[in-house]
Amino acid sequence: MGTSILLVNKPVDVLQKKMELQAVLMAAGGGSRMMDLTYNTRKPLLPVGNKPLIWYPINLLERVGFEEVIVITTKEVQKMISTDPKMKLDVKMKLDIVCIQEDAHMGTADALRHIQQKIKTDILVVSCDLITDAALHEVVDLFRAHNATLSMLMSKAHEFTETVPGQKGKKKTGEQRDFVGVDGTGKRLLFMANEADLDKGLVIRKSNMRKHPRMHIKTGLVDAHLYCLKKSVVDFLADNRSVSSIRGELVPYIVRKQFSKSMTSPNVNDEADQKLKKKDGNANVEIKILSRDEALLQLTRERSCWNDHRGDMSEAYHGGRLRCYVHIMDEGMCYRVNMLAAYIEANRLAPKLFDEPAVHPSAAISVRCLIGADSIIGASCQISDKASIKRSMIGASTTVREKVKVTNSIIMHGVTIEEGCNIQGSVICSNTVIGRGADIKYCLVGSAQRIEPEGEHTTAYYCLTLPSHTQVPLTSTLSGNSRVAKIQ
Amino acid sequence: MSSRGGKQKKGNVTSEQEEEEQPLQAVLVADSFNRRFFPISKDQPRALLPLGNVAMIDYTLEFLTSTGVQETFVFCCWMSNKIKDHLLKSKWCRPTSPNVVHIITSDLYRSLGDVLRDVDAKNLVRNDFILVYGDVVSNIDVSQALQEHRHRRKVDKNISVMTMVFKESSPGHKSRCEEDDVIVAMDSKSKRFSMGTDEFEIRHDLLDCHISICSPQVAELFTDNFDYQTRNDFVRGILVNEEILGNQIHLYVTQDGYGARVSNLQMYDSVSSDMVRRWVYPLTPEANFTDQQGQGCTHSRHNVYRGAEVSLGHGSQMEENVLIGRDTSIGANCHISNSVIGNNCTIGDNVVLDRAHMWNNVHISSNVEIHQSVVCDGAVVKEAVRLNKQCVLAYNVVIGPNLSLPEGTVVSMHHPEEEEEDDDDEFLSDDQEVGHSKDKTRQKAFNPAEVGPEGKGYIWKASMNDTEDEELAQCLWGLVLNPDPESDSESEASEESQDRTFQLEVLGTLQRGLEENIVCDNLVLEINSLKYAYNITLKEVMQILTRVVLEYPFQQQGTQLTTLQYTGSLLPLLKTWSPVFKNYIKRAQDHLDCLSAVEELFLEQDTHQTAMVKVLMKMYQLEILEEEAILKWFSTGATNDKSRQLRKNQGLQKFIQWLKEAEDESSEEGE
């Protein structure tokens, strides 16, 4: 099985041949969980391995053969995408960019509703912060094989090993666990609940247990936010305006609906449909989400002895017409860059995804400097003598002067690092100037800052404006007798 | 254990060897500690009831012996003498028996907990032992489970205290007991009961065989926790205290083998039929594993078994899955299927038996029909009697002639009231007392309507007063649960029911208000508090209120009211409650909502549509509704054919006309 998922008869002409899946890329999120990074650079444009974050999902889609993608994003990002030379260079596929207002507080489901007109087939929704080497066809195959309403990708949660700037010691991620229930094959998604919603413990309905007597409950999974959805789901969204988030509301709703009565009644004929419609508008909406199996498929299923379960005599899928599947990655990488820790981890691993020279050809690198094999140097960089760069990423147009040591750090674009600096385990955002001889350890430096020379900084945040939720107070822990850095 | 700790390394090895050599022990509890089989078990303890013409305890003992148990302690309480007699006569007490059976009786056992505490007190077990009930039928090879259990105990020092044996069987399987419908959360890798880890499995496809491999600590734990009554208490206690005490319970899941506990008659029926269908091989009827004289029978195709000296009349058919005991004679033209017939029975002509369980010395006359019923020893069924499903004829009952017993009838020689008399000593097996009460009941006459003209026996009614032990029902046949109602208890459904209860509450409030003459302000207060209690929106409150008020006459006087009567009783009500309405109907939208509620109701009650205009008129006069709202509703509110039809009502048209004119006038006046 190669990486190409679209069949051999790839749609040459969209109009002539029906596309199977339309790709939708959600790139309007603000990155609210890592405000320090996204204050100046929108999340989709954050550099990861010297490529904007949004490049990764686009590349993922491109790799498997998509030729067009609908990108939902904000005006600002659109402008950046059209001007960013990197994006233009690498992306062959057609980007159909739809802008939404930034301050409209639109959820992902709202965004889908927004582009309902454009959606003609089933869709594949990807979030812009996904970096993965997953075999996408696994997810799509589940979707196809079971004529599923929803199929999604999950992965085992990763432990972030790197020390996160601005955090002392290991901080427990405050996230609540998700409980995910799958059947014996590990594919069918039966149950989904968040720890926050479980006040009295896990509640699983017995009718559900009856149909699927063995349920594996897994915790410690991350949702990759990659979903295959039937077109009917988008139509459902259009009618049901209260749903605003895919992950928060829509997916749990569909998973739950798999086992509710109206969905499983074996053959709701049109008459019953009509009745339901009359009864109330709500049922009408519900019905829409059902993907009625095509007649031929129905017939095949009746005639074949295939069944998805054993143990009782009922028909395949217990007559349910709403089915959710999940592909859980056992190995490989799957990151959602939505937190600082994930961002750093992704930076460390992302370069392995593509084989490009670690040092950009246009970078001017002194012969007498040391650059580790696990580092990336961006375009038009200047690296002077005796600089040492290990396990780090240096963004484009960055100047690194003599005797600078950079270890385990992320330096974004246009940064100037003066002589003799020592930077370790830190993130330095764009256009910052680091004064001569500064010693920066485990710090996060916001964009366009000026760090005074000779300062010594450990575990601190330096930002233009302090995000309201930051736990670590500004310049709180400057170690030793150092001078307090001046924050502009 | 403590002595072993002190020993040197060498001594340790020898003691382990000793352990290996120690005989495997079992604790068999030959009492159910409940009354599920009353009135049958009034005369015979459950462990001795015949299943496939063999007492149930024999199956259990055979199972234990075949797994290599060498020493079994049988604990009896209820009717211990009978069990003792039975065992002394059986092969288990012969000197050649590989399994030494010790019978321990006491009248003081009231639960499994008592038994195990006694085990601990008497220091009977020295090593891991098998704990099983006297009504378990099984052929599972537990040696594998035993091995796993021992291994676990060796590896992590006595942490695992119990291994429960489960059999895989999907939900809805016949041999699953409806009342014992377990859902288990387990760690799939370590086979441990748990919920805590990152990944666990919830299984509904397991059948609890009621066979457990216990460490000696189990008995000690029962002593330490004197409130443990049943094994469930124990399991729960261990799981709750797992983190503190560090004890764990493991499962052993087997795919093949048979194991079930006969906990009610439903289970008796299914286990018996499984037995005849040879699912419990090698424990089959013809095997005569109890090694009793004359118990042997032959097995022919369609699973028909015949004992010695069975005579079958001309034209009688034994269709399939039939077991007939020795010296039984069957008349002509009988039709028998899926049934077990005991020894020394006589069956007349033209008898139909289907899923019948007949024990020994039963007499069935001609033209009798029996479906899925149990007929105990010595019972007599006279001519042309029909036993419908799930009937039970207890010992020595006589039924008929010419009678049809309705489904689920239980007939016994014991009068139901006598049970209450000896309620206090329910577990005391005092034969004298039983005999005594028999004398008493004899004075009460049999009811021929219940048991037929020549019948002897009383209809038994399960007493419902012992709810203390949280038994769901004391019914013999067990709960007959409707196949999963598949309740759509999604939020919408529950919301709907909330609305419904809210509606009922509002109705109650108004009713009380009328009866007790409560001021409307207070009614509003009450409805408001209900609104918060049920979390209902203001709009819904108003709609429900309107509905309740308009339906009130129907509610009080039935739905057969004429339109005239309806309006007659409604209009005064509207007047009384107008302040309540006014409280809720304030904004323009409220008016429209109220009107649509009125409309909805009259669309349902289409015979009373003429009353609608009167209601609207009254509400207008009472200034509940404003004319603008009514006009607006009339002109725009029509959404479908029916409501359009409604608006064509002549009275309504006139009313609207009148309203319009009035408006014109008033506006003219205004000028």
Side-chain angles (χ1 to χ4, degrees):
Chain A
M1 295 207 243
T3 42
S4 163
I5 55 150
L6 282 187
L7 297 169
V8 191
N9 50 354
K10 219 159 39 169
V12 184
D13 187 345
V14 181
L15 290 175
Q16 276 177 5
K17 267 193 184 149
K18 206 184 153 204
M19 268 198 302
E20 190 196 2
L21 279 170
Q22 272 176 296
V24 178
L25 180 60
M26 297 286 180
S32 56
R33 283 194 282 182
M34 39 181 197
M35 282 299 259
D36 322 308
L37 287 179
T38 55
Y39 184 77
N40 269 24
T41 321
R42 293 291 118 193
K43 184 160 90 166
L45 303 172
L46 274 181
V48 175
N50 271 343
K51 291 179 190 296
L53 185 50
I54 196 172
W55 180 85
Y56 290 90
I58 291 179
N59 179 257
L60 174 76
L61 294 172
E62 210 173 52
R63 274 204 314 259
V64 296
F66 279 98
E67 296 183 335
E68 192 179 341
V69 59
I70 303 171
V71 183
I72 300 175
T73 187
T74 53
K75 276 251 160 54
E76 196 182 339
V77 175
Q78 187 198 14
K79 218 173 94 190
M80 294 300 288
I81 289 176
S82 50
T83 53
D84 190 334
K86 198 79 184 166
M87 297 295 290
K88 275 191 177 159
L89 213 91
D90 272 11
V91 175
K92 288 181 211 77
M93 73 197 300
K94 190 182 155 203
L95 302 182
D96 180 3
I97 296 176
V98 179
C99 290
I100 56 170
Q101 277 179 346
E102 201 170 346
D103 49 355
H105 295 290
M106 280 173 96
T108 39
D110 294 321
L112 267 190
R113 197 177 294 131
H114 187 71
I115 56 157
Q116 194 216 353
Q117 300 303 325
K118 283 178 180 275
I119 289 171
K120 304 279 184 283
T121 65
D122 300 339
I123 54 170
L124 176 75
V125 181
V126 192
S127 165
C128 75
D129 54 10
L130 175 69
I131 298 184
T132 181
D133 58 355
L136 255 194
H137 68 90
E138 298 267 17
V139 182
V140 181
D141 281 351
L142 281 175
F143 187 69
R144 291 166 173 160
H146 299 282
N147 197 16
T149 310
L150 160 76
S151 73
M152 58 196 285
L153 177 69
M154 283 193 181
S155 154
K156 293 233 163 70
H158 301 276
E159 287 275 324
F160 297 119
T161 47
E162 301 286 310
T163 318
V164 176
Q167 281 177 14
K168 278 219 161 150
K170 287 244 164 174
K171 201 183 78 174
K172 272 260 171 190
T173 42
E175 302 231 348
Q176 263 136 340
R177 289 190 296 170
D178 268 323
F179 290 89
V180 176
V182 292
D183 71 350
T185 63
K187 299 289 184 200
R188 177 96 190 250
L189 182 59
L190 303 172
F191 179 80
M192 205 178 218
N194 190 278
E195 203 166 25
D197 308 329
L198 304 172
D199 42 349
K200 285 180 198 143
L202 229 53
V203 181
I204 297 170
R205 283 161 61 199
K206 199 166 172 190
S207 59
N208 193 337
M209 285 311 297
R210 248 167 205 284
K211 286 173 193 156
H212 301 276
R214 290 183 80 156
M215 189 192 283
H216 293 271
I217 304 279
K218 300 188 177 196
T219 58
L221 294 178
V222 275
D223 184 355
H225 286 229
L226 184 146
Y227 311 102
C228 278
L229 291 168
K230 275 258 182 299
K231 183 176 183 298
S232 57
V233 176
V234 184
D235 298 340
F236 162 78
L237 278 180
D239 293 340
N240 216 336
R241 304 204 151 260
S242 61
V243 180
S244 80
S245 147
I246 295 182
R247 179 59 176 87
E249 297 162 66
L250 181 68
V251 172
Y253 177 80
I254 298 177
V255 170
R256 215 167 54 234
K257 272 289 158 201
Q258 286 183 96
F259 301 103
S260 76
K261 209 174 180 179
S262 54
M263 299 292 151
T264 46
S265 48
N267 25 9
V268 185
N269 45 21
D270 289 272
E271 197 181 326
D273 269 11
Q274 299 256 303
K275 235 185 244 168
L276 272 170
K277 270 178 199 162
K278 259 181 218 162
K279 224 161 118 197
D280 56 344
N282 205 19
N284 180 8
V285 174
E286 266 172 28
I287 279 295
K288 271 208 174 161
I289 203 169
L290 284 183
S291 44
R292 170 99 24 102
D293 291 341
E294 292 150 41
L296 193 62
L297 199 66
Q298 197 76 46
L299 191 70
T300 329
R301 200 167 293 148
E302 274 167 29
R303 296 285 160 89
S304 78
C305 57
W306 179 83
N307 207 329
D308 72 319
H309 65 273
R310 39 184 312 221
D312 60 23
M313 301 297 284
S314 58
E315 59 186 308
Y317 307 117
H318 299 275
R321 282 178 297 154
L322 216 161
R323 299 181 278 276
C324 300
Y325 286 84
V326 60
H327 173 64
I328 298 173
M329 290 170 67
D330 286 329
E331 48 199 15
M333 88 183 236
C334 179
Y335 286 101
R336 283 203 62 224
V337 181
N338 54 3
M339 281 182 305
L340 193 52
Y343 176 70
I344 291 166
E345 192 78 9
N347 259 300
R348 207 163 56 78
L349 293 169
K352 293 172 190 164
L353 269 184
F354 49 86
D355 28 284
E356 273 179 32
V359 178
H360 198 274
S362 65
I365 293 172
S366 152
V367 193
R368 288 163 61 197
C369 71
L370 189 78
I371 294 175
D374 41 11
S375 300
I376 322 167
I377 311 294
S380 335
C381 276
Q382 286 180 20
I383 307 219
S384 310
D385 287 353
K386 287 183 185 168
S388 145
I389 294 165
K390 285 176 192 157
R391 298 185 72 205
S392 298
M393 182 201 99
I394 310 284
S397 317
T398 289
T399 314
V400 177
R401 301 234 188 276
E402 286 87 359
K403 290 180 192 165
V404 169
K405 273 177 86 176
V406 180
T407 335
N408 261 342
S409 297
I410 297 161
I411 316 287
M412 294 191 193
H413 309 300
V415 178
T416 308
I417 303 173
E418 302 280 3
E419 290 168 32
C421 286
N422 187 3
I423 299 173
Q424 190 185 338
S426 301
V427 177
I428 315 284
C429 294
S430 319
N431 305 324
T432 293
V433 178
I434 308 234
R436 185 153 42 84
D439 188 5
I440 298 175
K441 276 181 187 157
Y442 305 110
C443 288
L444 192 149
V445 180
S447 62
Q449 301 290 307
R450 250 194 92 81
I451 301 289
E452 295 229 327
E454 305 294 343
E456 200 176 293
H457 314 281
T458 322
T459 326
Y461 274 50
Y462 298 96
C463 303
L464 197 60
T465 31
L466 192 70
S468 55
H469 68 275
T470 310
Q471 291 95 342
V472 182
L474 185 72
T475 66
S476 61
T477 48
L478 292 166
S479 67
N481 49 6
S482 65
R483 281 174 287 158
V484 175
K486 189 177 161 196
I487 309 293
Q488 292 177 333
Chain B
M1 294 285 145
S2 56
S3 65
R4 194 168 62 136
K7 277 182 188 172
Q8 293 292 311
K9 207 179 178 186
K10 258 185 197 172
N12 221 341
V13 173
T14 50
S15 76
E16 252 170 44
Q17 273 173 349
E18 271 168 34
E19 254 176 49
E20 291 291 315
E21 282 160 22
Q22 267 176 6
L24 180 59
Q25 295 174 307
V27 170
L28 192 157
V29 184
D31 202 319
S32 55
F33 305 114
N34 65 33
R35 303 164 148 210
R36 293 305 296 274
F37 273 66
F38 266 23
I40 302 174
S41 55
K42 278 201 149 202
D43 297 305
Q44 190 87 318
R46 193 198 290 188
L48 294 188
L49 299 182
L51 189 138
N53 293 341
V54 175
M56 289 203 268
I57 196 169
D58 289 330
Y59 290 102
T60 317
L61 282 167
E62 179 67 30
F63 155 70
L64 290 175
T65 311
S66 65
T67 49
V69 172
Q70 287 168 296
E71 192 175 14
T72 306
F73 300 98
V74 178
F75 287 82
C76 338
C77 170
W78 174 250
M79 297 202 170
S80 47
N81 293 339
K82 285 198 175 184
I83 299 177
K84 204 168 180 175
D85 289 347
H86 174 87
L87 290 178
L88 287 176
K89 269 188 274 172
S90 73
K91 76 166 185 180
W92 314 111
C93 285
R94 288 178 203 161
T96 53
S97 168
N99 185 1
V100 182
V101 174
H102 305 279
I103 303 162
I104 297 161
T105 62
S106 166
D107 290 339
L108 297 171
Y109 300 143
R110 296 197 175 225
S111 68
L112 178 73
D114 292 336
V115 170
L116 285 169
R117 279 184 274 275
D118 204 35
V119 168
D120 188 42
K122 290 184 173 143
N123 220 347
L124 294 174
V125 294
R126 298 174 293 276
N127 211 330
D128 295 341
F129 63 97
I130 298 177
L131 175 67
V132 74
Y133 276 102
D135 45 13
V136 168
V137 177
S138 171
N139 64 357
I140 294 172
D141 182 9
V142 295
S143 52
Q144 173 78 24
L146 206 62
Q147 218 171 339
E148 281 177 22
H149 179 79
R150 282 178 179 152
H151 177 71
R152 268 195 291 269
R153 284 179 59 74
K154 213 177 267 177
V155 169
D156 19 86
K157 287 296 164 215
N158 304 339
I159 279 181
S160 173
V161 291
M162 191 190 251
T163 300
M164 293 164 79
V165 177
F166 283 85
K167 178 178 154 30
E168 244 176 45
S169 87
S170 46
H173 191 273
K174 204 158 59 84
S175 64
R176 273 177 86 104
C177 180
E178 293 274 15
E179 291 155 36
D180 200 12
D181 216 16
V182 283
I183 294 182
V184 175
M186 65 183 276
D187 189 324
S188 351
K189 279 188 207 107
S190 66
K191 292 184 181 164
R192 185 162 67 90
F193 266 107
S194 71
M195 291 271 302
T197 44
D198 262 4
E199 200 175 327
F200 56 92
E201 199 176 355
I202 298 181
R203 298 188 66 163
H204 187 39
D205 62 341
L206 296 181
L207 184 155
D208 187 359
C209 301
H210 288 273
I211 301 165
S212 355
I213 298 163
C214 307
S215 318
Q217 279 130 296
V218 172
E220 289 162 25
L221 282 166
F222 265 96
T223 312
D224 293 346
N225 299 281
F226 49 84
D227 55 330
Y228 286 174
Q229 296 294 315
T230 61
R231 199 182 59 157
N232 276 352
D233 292 342
F234 174 77
V235 171
R236 217 162 282 151
I238 292 289
L239 292 183
V240 167
N241 297 322
E242 187 183 317
E243 279 175 16
I244 307 166
L245 299 172
N247 291 325
Q248 295 177 345
I249 298 180
H250 288 82
L251 301 98
Y252 173 76
V253 177
T254 173
Q255 260 120 1
D256 37 38
Y258 188 90
R261 184 178 174 206
V262 180
S263 49
N264 56 31
L265 273 188
Q266 195 85 51
M267 286 300 289
Y268 177 86
D269 183 35
S270 30
V271 173
S272 174
S273 69
D274 287 341
M275 165 73 54
V276 171
R277 289 179 172 86
R278 309 177 76 78
W279 284 106
V280 206
Y281 189 86
L283 303 183
T284 52
E286 87 277 10
N288 190 17
F289 60 86
T290 54
D291 198 22
Q292 271 174 343
Q293 280 278 304
Q295 268 292 13
C297 57
T298 58
H299 175 225
S300 43
R301 80 193 168 126
H302 304 307
N303 291 332
V304 173
Y305 305 85
R306 288 194 223 196
E309 309 285 328
V310 168
S311 71
L312 192 64
H314 180 73
S316 281
Q317 263 189 344
M318 294 192 285
E319 201 164 276
E320 54 171 1
N321 307 317
V322 178
L323 167 60
I324 299 174
R326 87 187 109 90
D327 299 322
T328 288
S329 68
I330 295 170
N333 298 321
C334 292
H335 192 274
I336 302 171
S337 57
N338 307 312
S339 298
V340 175
I341 300 170
N343 303 330
N344 294 317
C345 294
T346 49
I347 292 175
D349 301 335
N350 301 317
V351 173
V352 176
L353 302 178
D354 182 45
R355 294 177 75 184
H357 302 277
M358 288 162 47
W359 298 353
N360 302 327
N361 306 315
V362 173
H363 292 268
I364 307 272
S365 306
S366 302
N367 304 316
V368 170
E369 214 175 301
I370 298 179
H371 297 279
Q372 200 194 356
S373 296
V374 175
V375 182
C376 299
D377 286 4
V380 178
V381 181
K382 305 245 174 192
E383 288 248 330
V385 169
R386 185 189 156 91
L387 300 189
N388 285 311
K389 275 186 176 175
Q390 306 195 341
C391 284
V392 175
L393 303 185
Y395 291 91
N396 305 318
V397 162
V398 182
I399 290 287
N402 302 320
L403 189 74
S404 172
L405 284 186
E407 198 176 314
T409 315
V410 179
V411 185
S412 162
M413 290 306 283
H414 298 280
H415 198 274
E417 279 165 24
E418 108 192 19
E419 191 202 10
E420 269 145 51
E421 285 159 21
D422 57 25
D423 223 11
D424 304 325
D425 38 18
E426 47 185 297
F427 294 116
L428 295 187
S429 56
D430 199 348
D431 287 9
Q432 211 182 348
E433 170 113 7
V434 174
H436 177 65
S437 51
K438 247 178 202 166
D439 286 341
K440 245 197 283 177
T441 54
R442 213 156 271 156
Q443 292 156 8
K444 293 167 188 156
F446 304 119
N447 184 355
E450 286 174 356
V451 294
E454 296 167 30
K456 287 179 187 169
Y458 306 98
I459 300 278
W460 178 269
K461 283 183 191 72
S463 64
M464 285 314 205
N465 53 2
D466 35 356
T467 43
E468 43 174 316
D469 51 348
E470 285 178 41
E471 286 274 349
L472 285 166
Q474 294 288 318
C475 167
L476 269 169
W477 285 94
L479 288 172
V480 184
L481 295 176
N482 295 326
D484 189 30
E486 225 171 292
S487 55
D488 190 12
S489 55
E490 291 281 337
S491 48
E492 304 100 88
S494 62
E495 260 169 38
E496 214 153 79
S497 71
Q498 279 224 320
D499 280 6
R500 181 79 201 138
T501 41
F502 177 74
Q503 188 172 340
L504 289 176
E505 291 270 11
V506 170
L507 178 69
T509 308
L510 292 180
Q511 225 162 354
R512 210 155 32 80
L514 214 59
E515 281 160 14
E516 296 170 16
N517 225 347
I518 296 174
V519 197
C520 283
D521 283 351
N522 289 348
L523 287 182
V524 169
L525 216 59
E526 280 194 36
I527 293 174
N528 276 344
S529 64
L530 287 175
K531 166 182 176 298
Y532 290 116
Y534 290 96
N535 194 17
I536 304 268
T537 62
L538 205 59
K539 182 181 167 188
E540 282 170 317
V541 171
M542 213 249 314
Q543 283 171 337
I544 288 169
L545 179 71
T546 315
R547 174 165 275 268
V548 167
V549 171
L550 294 185
E551 278 178 349
Y552 196 80
F554 297 121
Q555 188 76 35
Q556 297 296 306
Q557 299 160 37
T559 47
Q560 268 70 44
L561 285 177
T562 64
T563 311
L564 215 59
Q565 281 169 323
Y566 173 71
T567 48
S569 55
L570 181 68
L571 296 185
L573 287 175
L574 280 176
K575 192 169 160 63
T576 334
W577 286 326
S578 65
V580 183
F581 275 106
K582 276 180 196 164
N583 184 65
Y584 289 106
I585 303 173
K586 283 179 177 149
R587 294 165 302 153
Q589 188 56 42
D590 300 339
H591 288 268
L592 288 179
D593 288 339
C594 173
L595 279 163
S596 64
V598 172
E599 181 186 339
E600 197 182 321
L601 183 103
F602 279 102
L603 281 175
E604 279 170 33
Q605 305 278 351
D606 42 9
T607 48
H608 296 296
Q609 276 183 5
T610 42
M612 183 176 174
V613 67
K614 290 209 170 106
V615 171
L616 289 180
M617 185 72 179
K618 190 74 185 174
M619 286 176 108
Y620 172 67
Q621 284 171 346
L622 289 167
E623 293 176 356
I624 298 171
L625 293 174
E626 284 171 6
E627 58 185 40
E628 282 167 39
I630 298 177
L631 289 174
K632 191 173 176 202
W633 162 78
F634 184 80
S635 55
T636 59
T639 47
N640 54 17
D641 287 348
K642 268 197 163 176
S643 56
R644 241 166 259 136
Q645 198 71 35
L646 184 82
R647 281 171 176 69
K648 285 187 185 136
N649 181 310
Q650 268 203 339
L652 192 60
Q653 297 251 355
K654 265 187 196 161
F655 172 63
I656 295 296
Q657 194 65 36
W658 176 79
L659 268 184
K660 275 183 185 158
E661 279 165 16
E663 189 185 30
D664 289 345
E665 269 169 37
S666 64
S667 60
E668 271 166 32
E669 270 168 33
E671 283 169 13

